[in-house]
Amino acid sequence: MTEPASPAASRWALPPHDDWSTPFADLLLQQLDLRPGLKILDVASGHGIPAFYLAEQVGPTGTVVAVDASRGQVASARAIQRDDLPWLRFECLDMRALPASFPAFQRITGNLSVMFFRPHRFEAVRGLLEHLEPGGQLVLTFPSLGTFDSLWQRIDQEMSRHGLTTERERLATHVAERPSAEEARGWLERLEMERISIVERPLEVASGSGQRFLQHPLLRGGFLDDAYECFDDARLADQVMTRVSEDLESMTPLIAQRCALSGWKRCNQ
Ligand SMILES: C[S@@+](CC[C@H](N)C(=O)[O-])C[C@H]1O[C@@H](n2cnc3c(N)ncnc32)[C@H](O)[C@@H]1O
């Protein structure tokens, strides 16, 4: 277990009851050079993990601009913020296409962000670097290739039992499409960043079986959906996924790979 990077006494500490965003954000904070007075851009900011904590740490001499493509997420984050931390601003923007007039920052962070850089992940990272000052640091996290492999293997086994060749091929494509830690390193190297560091840490995710598995908010949002999308026949999908969900033992422990990538933009870039 890694120690949380945020002290418990902090008013805007990462929420301890969040079993997904907080462990990824912990890893992000462990990589980030964070100090008072910094100008930070936080992308895919959602409800403000870790934007609130970052804003508290940079203090009133710093700035945090947090961007998310969803109006609903931005509205929720603003509702949580109310009049606190006035140097923190939530904006509704697509992180893959920030306006050229958007300023440059000393740090860019993005917790659970890289999976939303699709379809052109390298271009999305390159676009972000245009808003990073020379000598600034980029730190992004995402669940890397290897996440929930036991789940994919069990679904593949069940598909194979039903002779579902096309569905198996689609599943393999979905799984392979997830970026690996090494692919992420390649992006930062191509962008000639310095002091590149890529870390991966396992995270065990607990789930009940049956409907509790199929409706698990984390698995359903973004992981199981990929499996359902492999089927043309919804009834067959339900049949296969129900069988899988009732065989939790063969998939546990369910391990996600938390990956954090960090790099520094050259001073002369
Ligand atoms: C998994 S959530 C992470 C939120 C937060 N950083 C956290 O750790 O809880 C991903 C967020 O990315 C946002 N998002 C997806 N595509 C985006 C895009 N192209 N530009 C900006 N935000 C995007 C979603 O609206 C969502 O709030």
Side-chain angles (χ1 to χ4, degrees), residues 18 20-21 25 42-50 67-70 73 93-96 110-112 115-116:
D18 189 316
W20 185 244
S21 292
D42 184 53
V43 299
S45 51
H47 288 176
I49 298 178
V67 305
D68 197 284
S70 153
Q73 297 279 32
L93 283 172
D94 187 334
M95 62 188 165
R96 299 165 304 176
N111 195 44
L112 290 167
M115 49 289 200
F116 300 103

XYZ file of all heavy atoms in Angstrom, residues 18 20-21 25 42-50 67-70 73 93-96 110-112 115-116, ligand 1:
228
model
N -13.235 7.409 -1.680
C -13.272 7.189 -3.130
C -12.235 6.123 -3.485
O -11.034 6.368 -3.414
C -12.975 8.505 -3.861
C -13.209 8.375 -5.356
O -12.796 7.353 -5.935
O -13.809 9.283 -5.942
N -11.466 4.713 -6.276
C -10.916 4.692 -7.632
C -10.110 5.959 -7.891
O -8.892 5.913 -8.050
C -12.058 4.511 -8.634
C -11.648 4.361 -10.075
C -11.940 5.217 -11.099
C -10.892 3.282 -10.680
N -11.418 4.742 -12.279
C -10.783 3.555 -12.056
C -10.319 2.117 -10.175
C -10.103 2.714 -12.948
C -9.638 1.274 -11.069
C -9.540 1.578 -12.428
N -10.777 7.123 -7.884
C -10.061 8.367 -8.210
C -8.939 8.649 -7.212
O -7.838 9.069 -7.600
C -11.025 9.550 -8.201
O -11.933 9.457 -9.264
N -5.090 9.462 -7.859
C -4.616 10.822 -7.553
C -3.460 10.793 -6.556
O -2.556 11.628 -6.625
C -5.778 11.658 -7.015
N -5.375 21.592 -14.656
C -5.798 20.216 -14.367
C -6.836 19.821 -15.409
O -7.890 20.455 -15.520
C -6.383 20.133 -12.951
C -6.743 18.699 -12.580
O -5.872 17.824 -12.711
O -7.897 18.459 -12.166
N -6.551 18.765 -16.183
C -7.475 18.358 -17.259
C -8.284 17.140 -16.830
O -7.873 16.392 -15.953
C -6.723 18.070 -18.586
C -6.001 19.316 -19.074
C -5.745 16.902 -18.451
N -9.449 16.966 -17.473
C -10.396 15.894 -17.096
C -10.677 16.003 -15.602
O -10.612 15.019 -14.862
C -9.843 14.519 -17.461
N -11.022 17.203 -15.185
C -11.038 17.526 -13.742
C -12.241 16.957 -13.004
O -12.213 16.862 -11.773
C -10.976 19.042 -13.557
O -11.972 19.669 -14.346
N -13.292 16.577 -13.716
C -14.449 15.953 -13.060
C -14.981 16.801 -11.915
O -15.186 18.017 -12.042
N -15.176 16.147 -10.762
C -15.681 16.850 -9.574
C -14.563 17.542 -8.792
O -14.802 17.997 -7.674
C -16.373 15.864 -8.633
C -17.681 15.381 -9.152
N -18.420 14.427 -8.509
C -18.380 15.724 -10.246
C -19.534 14.202 -9.201
N -19.520 14.976 -10.270
N -13.350 17.539 -9.341
C -12.292 18.307 -8.676
C -11.250 17.480 -7.953
O -10.567 17.988 -7.060
N -11.084 16.210 -8.368
C -9.974 15.401 -7.846
C -8.894 15.393 -8.912
O -9.155 14.896 -10.023
C -10.404 13.947 -7.543
C -11.486 13.922 -6.454
C -9.209 13.103 -7.111
C -12.007 12.521 -6.137
N -7.727 15.949 -8.647
C -7.248 16.552 -7.408
C -7.268 18.083 -7.423
O -6.517 18.697 -6.663
C -5.817 16.048 -7.361
C -5.381 16.092 -8.811
C -6.611 15.784 -9.630
N -10.218 21.937 -16.235
C -11.108 21.859 -17.409
C -11.701 20.469 -17.553
O -11.040 19.458 -17.331
C -10.403 22.283 -18.724
C -9.804 23.670 -18.613
C -9.354 21.290 -19.159
N -12.962 20.451 -17.928
C -13.667 19.190 -18.178
C -14.649 19.435 -19.329
O -15.228 20.525 -19.447
C -14.415 18.733 -16.925
C -14.794 17.247 -17.013
O -15.750 16.915 -17.746
O -14.120 16.429 -16.348
N -14.848 18.398 -20.157
C -15.716 18.554 -21.324
C -17.200 18.490 -20.957
O -18.051 18.856 -21.771
C -15.397 17.455 -22.343
N -17.497 18.011 -19.759
C -18.892 17.832 -19.369
C -19.407 19.040 -18.571
O -18.856 19.358 -17.507
C -19.015 16.546 -18.534
O -20.097 16.630 -17.651
N -20.332 18.044 -15.009
C -19.210 17.894 -14.072
C -18.716 19.260 -13.619
O -18.402 19.459 -12.448
C -18.051 17.136 -14.744
C -18.373 15.728 -15.152
C -18.282 14.760 -13.977
O -18.558 15.113 -12.841
N -17.930 13.535 -14.253
N -14.228 22.748 -21.192
C -13.404 22.754 -22.413
C -12.965 21.341 -22.740
O -12.805 20.510 -21.827
C -12.138 23.598 -22.194
C -12.262 25.113 -22.236
C -10.946 25.746 -21.801
C -12.640 25.589 -23.635
N -12.744 21.079 -24.030
C -12.205 19.800 -24.479
C -10.678 19.864 -24.364
O -10.044 20.681 -25.034
C -12.640 19.554 -25.938
C -12.260 18.167 -26.425
O -11.286 17.571 -25.897
O -12.936 17.669 -27.345
N -10.127 19.004 -23.515
C -8.672 19.051 -23.281
C -7.875 18.678 -24.528
O -6.677 18.929 -24.603
C -8.298 18.115 -22.131
C -8.604 16.656 -22.391
S -8.362 15.662 -20.924
C -9.215 14.139 -21.391
N -8.524 18.039 -25.530
C -7.819 17.646 -26.754
C -7.754 18.790 -27.752
O -7.075 18.677 -28.768
C -8.533 16.460 -27.420
C -8.578 15.225 -26.553
C -9.574 14.245 -27.093
N -10.898 14.871 -27.212
C -11.966 14.301 -27.721
N -11.879 13.069 -28.181
N -13.119 14.925 -27.775
N -3.551 15.579 -14.855
C -4.806 14.993 -15.355
C -4.979 13.626 -14.723
O -4.292 12.674 -15.105
N -5.848 13.544 -13.720
C -6.061 12.254 -13.055
C -7.117 11.462 -13.822
O -8.206 11.977 -14.090
C -6.526 12.480 -11.605
C -6.418 11.213 -10.781
O -5.411 10.511 -10.860
N -7.440 10.908 -10.003
N -6.798 10.214 -14.162
C -7.716 9.367 -14.935
C -8.122 10.083 -16.228
O -9.303 10.248 -16.530
C -8.943 9.018 -14.080
C -8.648 8.051 -12.929
C -9.808 7.990 -11.949
C -8.330 6.660 -13.445
N -7.201 7.928 -20.918
C -8.133 7.080 -21.699
C -9.099 7.939 -22.514
O -9.697 7.459 -23.478
C -8.870 6.077 -20.815
C -9.525 6.541 -19.583
S -8.499 7.043 -18.232
C -9.723 6.886 -16.937
N -9.243 9.218 -22.151
C -10.155 10.098 -22.901
C -9.425 10.915 -23.966
O -9.991 11.834 -24.529
C -10.915 11.014 -21.935
C -11.731 10.237 -20.943
C -11.295 10.083 -19.635
C -12.910 9.627 -21.327
C -12.033 9.336 -18.721
C -13.649 8.883 -20.416
C -13.211 8.732 -19.114
C -12.667 9.327 -14.839
S -13.185 10.995 -14.770
C -11.854 11.667 -13.784
C -12.297 12.898 -13.043
C -11.325 13.364 -11.951
N -10.062 13.823 -12.478
C -11.148 12.276 -10.932
O -10.025 11.827 -10.761
O -12.122 11.905 -10.302
C -12.800 11.583 -16.376
C -13.329 12.953 -16.694
O -12.845 13.310 -17.978
C -13.840 14.107 -18.590
N -13.546 14.111 -20.024
C -13.763 13.118 -20.934
N -13.350 13.521 -22.155
C -12.852 14.775 -22.006
C -12.286 15.718 -22.905
N -12.121 15.423 -24.196
N -11.883 16.911 -22.415
C -12.029 17.217 -21.115
N -12.582 16.366 -20.210
C -12.983 15.155 -20.652
C -15.133 13.455 -18.185
O -16.217 14.358 -18.326
C -14.831 13.081 -16.747
O -15.241 14.076 -15.850
